[in-house]
C-alpha cells in the first residue's frame, strides 16, 4: 500500500491544479465598464513578476490573478498596475478562485 | 474655373477627429488608454454631396481611408497619429458639357495628444474629461493639376498649411449607457492664396449597451445615435471672403458597434438634418462609415 502511495502521489500532484499553481487574488477595479478597455489592465498585471494567469470579469468589475508556484503579490504592486492601466483599485484579497485555462 | 473653389472642403476635417479607442464613431472619447498599449484603427468613409443649389449639377463623391495609431504614454497621456488616404471626384455641367475632375492620394496627417484631467471611477462606471490638441501637417499635395488646370482647393488632397486644433471631451460610461460630448476648434491658415474657414465643432453621443452574455460581459454591442454640429467659417481667396462657402451643418448618425476585449467593429450613417450653408455652397448628402479597431 505504501508503495502504491509513493508511486501515485507525484502523479496526483502533477495533475492537480491546486499543486501546479501558487496563490490566487481577487482584485476589485473601479471604472471598468467596457470590454475594450479591459485589455490594458490585463496587460499591466501580466507584467508583474510571478503572474501566471489573469482573468478580467467586466460584469463584476474584478480581476482574478493566479500566481506561479511560491510567488505572491503585494497590494501596492497591484494598485500601481491598475493605476497605470487607467483605473482605480477597489479591493484586494487572496482568493480560492483560479483562472481557468 | 474659379467657381470650383466654392465647393466645401469635405472630408478630412470631419473624418480624422474620430479616434481609435472605444465609443463614438464620429468623434473623440475620454475613455482610458493604458500605459504601454497601442491602438490601431482603420476606417473607411464614403461621402456623397449632390444637392447643388447653383444649378451646375455638381456632384462630389469621395472615399477616404483613415489610419490611426495611438499609444498610451501613461494612464493620463496618450499620443496619436492620423494618416488619411483620399479619392475624390467631382462631376458638373459647364456650358452644357458634363465634365469630371478627380484626385487621389495621401491627405494631410495629424498628430495630437490627449490628457485626462478629470477622472471619477466607481464600480461599473466611470466619468472622464480630457483635453486634446495637435497639429495638421501639410503632407498632402496641394498643387495637383488636370487637363483643366490646377484643381480647386476642395479637390486637392492637402491644404499646404500647418494648422492647429484643440478641444475638450467628456465621457460618462456605465454597464448600461455611454454618453460623450466634445467641443473643438481648428484654425486653418493660408497657402497658395487660399485659406479655408476655421471650424468649430460640437458633438454629442448617446449609446446603449446590449450584452449577449450577462455573466462575463467580455463582448457586447453598443448602439445609439450621434449628433455632430459643424460651423465652418468662410474661405478666403486673396484675403477676400468667398460668399459661397462656409455655414452650419447638423449631422445625425445612428451607430452600431460590436465591442470585444481586443477589437471593435463599427458602422455609422451620417445624414445632415440641418444645413445652413452660405450662397451656393454644395450641400452634403450622406456619409457611410465602417471601421475596425485593434488594441495590442
Amino acid at each position: 500500500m505504501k508503495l502504491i502511495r509513493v508511486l501515485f502521489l507525484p502523479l496526483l500532484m502533477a495533475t492537480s491544479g491546486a499543486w501546479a499553481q501558487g496563490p490566487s487574488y481577487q482584485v476589485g477595479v473601479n471604472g471598468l465598464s467596457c470590454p475594450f478597455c479591459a485589455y490594458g489592465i490585463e496587460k499591466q498585471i501580466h507584467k508583474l513578476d510571478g503572474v501566471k494567469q489573469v482573468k478580467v470579469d467586466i460584469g463584476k468589475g474584478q480581476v482574478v490573478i493566479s500566481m506561479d508556484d511560491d510567488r505572491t503579490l503585494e497590494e501596492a504592486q497591484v494598485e500601481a498596475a491598475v493605476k497605470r492601466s487607467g483605473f482605480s483599485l477597489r479591493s484586494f484579497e487572496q482568493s480560492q478562485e483560479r483562472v481557468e485555462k | 474655373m474659379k467657381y470650383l473653389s466654392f465647393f466645401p472642403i469635405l472630408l478630412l476635417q470631419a473624418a480624422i477627429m474620430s479616434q481609435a479607442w472605444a465609443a463614438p464613431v464620429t468623434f473623440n472619447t475620454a475613455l482610458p488608454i493604458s500605459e504601454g498599449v497601442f491602438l490601431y484603427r482603420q476606417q473607411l468613409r464614403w461621402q456623397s454631396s449632390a444637392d447643388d443649389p447653383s444649378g451646375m449639377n455638381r456632384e462630389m463623391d469621395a472615399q477616404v481611408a483613415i489610419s490611426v495609431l495611438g499609444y498610451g504614454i501613461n494612464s493620463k497621456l496618450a499620443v496619436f497619429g492620423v494618416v488619411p488616404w483620399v479619392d475624390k471626384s467631382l462631376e458638373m455641367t459647364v456650358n452644357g458639357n458634363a465634365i469630371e475632375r478627380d484626385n487621389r492620394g495621401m491627405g494631410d496627417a495629424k498628430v495630437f495628444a490627449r490628457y485626462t484631467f478629470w477622472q471619477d471611477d466607481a464600480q461599473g462606471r466611470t466619468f472622464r474629461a480630457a483635453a486634446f490638441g495637435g497639429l495638421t501637417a501639410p503632407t498632402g499635395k496641394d498643387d495637383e493639376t488636370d487637363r483643366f488646370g490646377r484643381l480647386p482647393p476642395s479637390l486637392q488632397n492637402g491644404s499646404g498649411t500647418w494648422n492647429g486644433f484643440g478641444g475638450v471631451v467628456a465621457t460618462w460610461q456605465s454597464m448600461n449607457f455611454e454618453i460623450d460630448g466634445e467641443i473643438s476648434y481648428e484654425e486653418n491658415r493660408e497657402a497658395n492664396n487660399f485659406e479655408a474657414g476655421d471650424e468649430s465643432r460640437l458633438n454629442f453621443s448617446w449609446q446603449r449597451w446590449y450584452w449577449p452574455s450577462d455573466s462575463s460581459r467580455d463582448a457586447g454591442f453598443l448602439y445609439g445615435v450621434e449628433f455632430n454640429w459643424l460651423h465652418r467659417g468662410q474661405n478666403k481667396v486673396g484675403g477676400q471672403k468667398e460668399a459661397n462657402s462656409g455655414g452650419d451643418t447638423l449631422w445625425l448618425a445612428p451607430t452600431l458597434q460590436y465591442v470585444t476585449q481586443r477589437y471593435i467593429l463599427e458602422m455609422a450613417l451620417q445624414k445632415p438634418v440641418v444645413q445652413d450653408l452660405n450662397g451656393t455652397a454644395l450641400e452634403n448628402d450622406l456619409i457611410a462609415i465602417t471601421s475596425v479597431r485593434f488594441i495590442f
Side-chain angles (χ1 to χ4, degrees), chain A:
Chain A
M1 192 65 181
K2 189 179 177 182
L3 180 64
I4 293 172
R5 261 187 267 156
V6 169
L7 287 173
F8 281 91
L9 192 56
L11 182 63
L12 285 168
M13 289 168 66
T15 54
S16 163
W19 287 93
Q21 293 184 329
S24 290
Y25 299 92
Q26 188 169 290
V27 178
V29 177
N30 279 344
L32 199 54
S33 48
C34 164
F36 198 61
C37 305
Y39 173 74
I41 199 167
E42 195 176 309
K43 186 171 180 175
Q44 289 296 335
I45 290 175
H46 259 302
K47 286 181 180 176
L48 298 176
D49 206 22
V51 170
K52 185 173 187 178
Q53 301 264 355
V54 179
K55 172 71 176 173
V56 180
D57 189 323
I58 309 291
K60 294 176 182 171
Q62 72 178 27
V63 181
V64 178
I65 307 168
S66 293
M67 303 298 293
D68 287 330
D69 204 9
D70 294 332
R71 305 303 296 269
T72 59
L73 275 180
E74 297 295 324
E75 181 173 346
Q77 291 177 277
V78 176
E79 184 173 20
V82 169
K83 192 176 177 183
R84 281 195 298 273
S85 62
F87 299 97
S88 313
L89 184 72
R90 183 176 69 250
S91 61
F92 175 83
E93 57 189 27
Q94 199 154 349
S95 168
Q96 298 303 313
E97 187 179 349
R98 294 193 178 279
V99 178
E100 293 177 11
K101 287 184 180 177

Side-chain angles (χ1 to χ4, degrees), chain A residues 30-36 38-44 56-60 83-88 90, chain B residues 34-36 39 75 119 121-125 128 173 175 209 211 215-218 260-262 264 295-296:
Chain A
N30 279 344
L32 199 54
S33 48
C34 164
F36 198 61
Y39 173 74
I41 199 167
E42 195 176 309
K43 186 171 180 175
Q44 289 296 335
V56 180
D57 189 323
I58 309 291
K60 294 176 182 171
K83 192 176 177 183
R84 281 195 298 273
S85 62
F87 299 97
S88 313
R90 183 176 69 250
Chain B
S34 300
E35 179 181 314
L39 293 160
S75 63
Q119 175 178 346
D121 293 334
Q123 183 170 359
R125 69 152 183 83
R128 316 272 172 138
Q173 186 186 62
M175 304 298 291
W209 283 105
W211 303 100
S215 54
S216 64
R217 297 194 173 183
D218 51 5
T260 74
Q261 292 195 15
R262 299 302 296 271
I264 298 176
I295 190 168
F296 53 97

Side-chain angles (χ1 to χ4, degrees), chain B residues 156-176:
Chain B
Q156 298 288 351
N157 292 322
S159 64
T161 62
W162 289 86
N163 302 321
F165 63 91
V168 178
V169 57
T171 296
W172 184 89
Q173 186 186 62
S174 74
M175 304 298 291
N176 296 317

Side-chain angles (χ1 to χ4, degrees), chain B residues 53-189:
Chain B
S54 76
M56 291 188 290
N57 300 318
R58 295 172 298 178
E59 180 175 345
M60 191 159 185
D61 295 310
Q63 295 82 46
V64 188
I66 304 159
S67 304
V68 182
L69 184 66
Y71 179 72
I73 292 177
N74 56 45
S75 63
K76 302 284 188 189
L77 181 64
V79 291
F80 296 87
V82 184
V83 178
W85 193 90
V86 188
D87 185 345
K88 297 186 272 193
S89 71
L90 171 67
E91 295 176 15
M92 62 187 300
T93 303
V94 179
N95 299 327
N97 299 315
I99 66 168
E100 180 176 354
R101 310 184 78 177
D102 53 43
N103 195 11
R104 60 187 59 83
M106 181 179 166
D108 285 350
K110 282 181 185 269
V111 289
F112 66 97
R114 185 196 67 168
Y115 183 77
T116 302
F117 61 83
W118 183 266
Q119 175 178 346
D120 180 25
D121 293 334
Q123 183 170 359
R125 69 152 183 83
T126 187
F127 174 78
R128 316 272 172 138
F132 60 91
L135 289 171
T136 303
T139 53
K141 288 186 177 178
D142 64 323
D143 56 356
E144 298 273 36
T145 59
D146 64 6
R147 62 194 172 100
F148 300 107
R150 187 189 181 95
L151 292 171
S154 62
L155 274 178
Q156 298 288 351
N157 292 322
S159 64
T161 62
W162 289 86
N163 302 321
F165 63 91
V168 178
V169 57
T171 296
W172 184 89
Q173 186 186 62
S174 74
M175 304 298 291
N176 296 317
F177 297 98
E178 178 169 337
I179 297 169
D180 297 85
E182 179 193 74
I183 186 166
S184 67
Y185 183 80
E186 175 154 10
E187 180 188 23
N188 291 315
R189 303 171 76 182

Side-chain angles (χ1 to χ4, degrees), chain B residues 230-253:
Chain B
L230 166 64
H231 171 77
R232 183 178 284 127
Q234 286 180 293
N235 301 335
K236 289 180 183 174
V237 176
Q240 301 297 313
K241 287 185 176 179
E242 276 191 322
N244 298 315
S245 67
D248 294 85
T249 305
L250 176 65
W251 303 82
L252 172 69

